[in-house]
Amino acid sequence: MSETPDEIRKRARLIRAQAVKMVYRSRASHLGSCLSIADVLACLYWRVLRIDPANPDWHERDRLILSKGHAAAILYATLAERGFFPTEELASYCQNGSRLTGHVTSGVPGVEFSSGSLGHGLPVGCGMALAAKREGLPFRTFVLLSDGELDEGSNWESFLFAPQHRLDNLTAIIDYNQIQSFGRTKEILDLEPLADKLRAFRWAVREVDGHDCQQLADAFDALPFETGKPSITIAHTIKGKGVSFMEDLLSWHYSSPTDQELQLALVEIGANV
């Protein structure tokens, strides 16, 4: 499947609306973190990833790890809309007995790795990419990280490891919304100059507007950015993107919508679901 940027925008609206409803029903959290990556996930799942929802364990499939596993709702919404399991199951998110838990959990079709303990996704992705190289397999590995989890040293070990092993079948994507759990990344632990640091670690780097589906498509279509180097896309995003009263606010890392906020959010997103 290789949808156009306009089609991807529609998919992003749909999964945003699903995530808002899921968090509302369960009185859960991390909605701002979900909304900031909707466009990235829509582009990956409807244009980039070589996957087969009817055969989620296909050996040669591309792998995606959502390292920022607290944004589980938007990944589950994406997988359901992509056909990995029925969309009706989304209503069980974070309910007692549901397999759709509040942090991404394996056992759900399409989920490659249980995540949410920040800093683990990229090291595991390096292992998957290295295994593919050594076994001569064609699959690619994608890891979607938060900017806040770059405070974890395990990521910087991975930034050293991947170029050393020429893992050009590995792509990391940073959701650079510049807000983490207790404040702005610049105030907690400033990452800048991030792109320069990653280039110094021998990664091929591109920076994009993480809500511009054309820019995302152009970047992902160009993978790998350089032969013999792992690729990294710094996606400049807005926490809570798509809902004006949630945008760029730390409080939506934790809050769930009220009845009125739910209706307002769905109107602003513009998805009739």
Side-chain angles (χ1 to χ4, degrees):
M1 182 177 289
S2 183
E3 293 195 346
T4 66
D6 282 341
E7 292 170 324
I8 291 166
R9 290 185 194 98
K10 294 177 183 177
R11 301 290 189 182
R13 287 198 297 271
L14 181 62
I15 60 175
R16 276 191 173 95
Q18 291 283 28
V20 168
K21 292 192 293 185
M22 292 162 68
V23 172
Y24 164 77
R25 289 190 202 102
S26 62
R27 293 291 185 259
S29 55
H30 302 309
L31 186 52
S33 302
C34 290
L35 299 181
S36 65
I37 58 171
D39 303 290
V40 173
L41 287 176
C43 191
L44 289 170
Y45 276 91
W46 277 277
R47 184 182 178 95
V48 178
L49 297 175
R50 296 191 293 260
I51 50 177
D52 181 2
N55 182 18
D57 296 325
W58 174 40
H59 194 49
E60 296 185 0
R61 71 191 182 280
D62 287 340
R63 275 72 165 167
L64 182 135
I65 295 173
L66 181 61
S67 191
K68 47 173 286 179
H70 52 284
I74 196 77
L75 179 62
Y76 296 148
T78 302
L79 293 172
E81 292 292 346
R82 190 64 175 82
F84 282 89
F85 57 89
T87 56
E88 290 78 11
E89 189 175 348
L90 296 176
S92 74
Y93 171 68
C94 274
Q95 305 296 327
N96 188 34
S98 174
R99 63 180 176 173
L100 304 183
T101 58
H103 283 70
V104 173
T105 304
S106 60
V108 177
V111 172
E112 297 289 347
F113 175 67
S114 297
S115 60
S117 183
L118 299 178
H120 292 288
L122 189 57
V124 171
C126 285
M128 290 178 173
L130 182 62
K133 284 281 188 183
R134 290 186 172 178
E135 295 176 20
L137 294 171
F139 72 80
R140 302 171 297 172
T141 299
F142 295 77
V143 182
L144 179 49
L145 306 107
S146 66
D147 47 8
E149 76 175 301
L150 297 189
D151 296 355
E152 300 287 348
S154 50
N155 282 316
W156 295 93
E157 293 175 13
S158 300
F159 289 145
L160 283 169
F161 180 91
Q164 181 71 26
H165 294 276
R166 300 177 59 82
L167 299 182
D168 56 4
N169 58 345
L170 174 67
T171 298
I173 305 148
I174 298 172
D175 175 30
Y176 203 11
N177 63 38
Q178 301 192 46
I179 295 178
Q180 58 190 98
S181 57
F182 296 114
R184 301 222 166 242
T185 53
K186 188 171 184 178
E187 299 165 353
I188 305 300
L189 197 59
D190 194 357
L191 296 170
E192 291 297 328
L194 181 58
D196 290 342
K197 289 174 183 173
L198 295 169
R199 291 188 182 101
F201 275 65
R202 298 180 294 160
W203 285 65
V205 181
R206 290 201 182 185
E207 296 188 72
V208 300
D209 178 342
H211 304 303
D212 186 319
C213 294
Q214 185 67 63
Q215 288 188 33
L216 288 166
D218 289 345
F220 295 143
D221 287 351
L223 292 171
F225 300 150
E226 293 183 42
T227 301
K229 287 186 175 182
S231 302
I232 193 158
T233 300
I234 300 173
H236 293 273
T237 62
I238 298 171
K239 202 175 189 79
K241 177 66 175 179
V243 181
S244 61
F245 58 87
M246 298 183 185
E247 290 186 354
D248 201 37
L249 291 174
L250 173 60
S251 59
W252 287 99
H253 194 78
Y254 303 102
S255 302
S256 57
T258 63
D259 294 353
Q260 182 180 16
E261 288 169 338
L262 170 69
Q263 297 308 317
L264 290 172
L266 293 176
V267 169
E268 288 198 12
I269 290 168
N272 298 316
V273 295

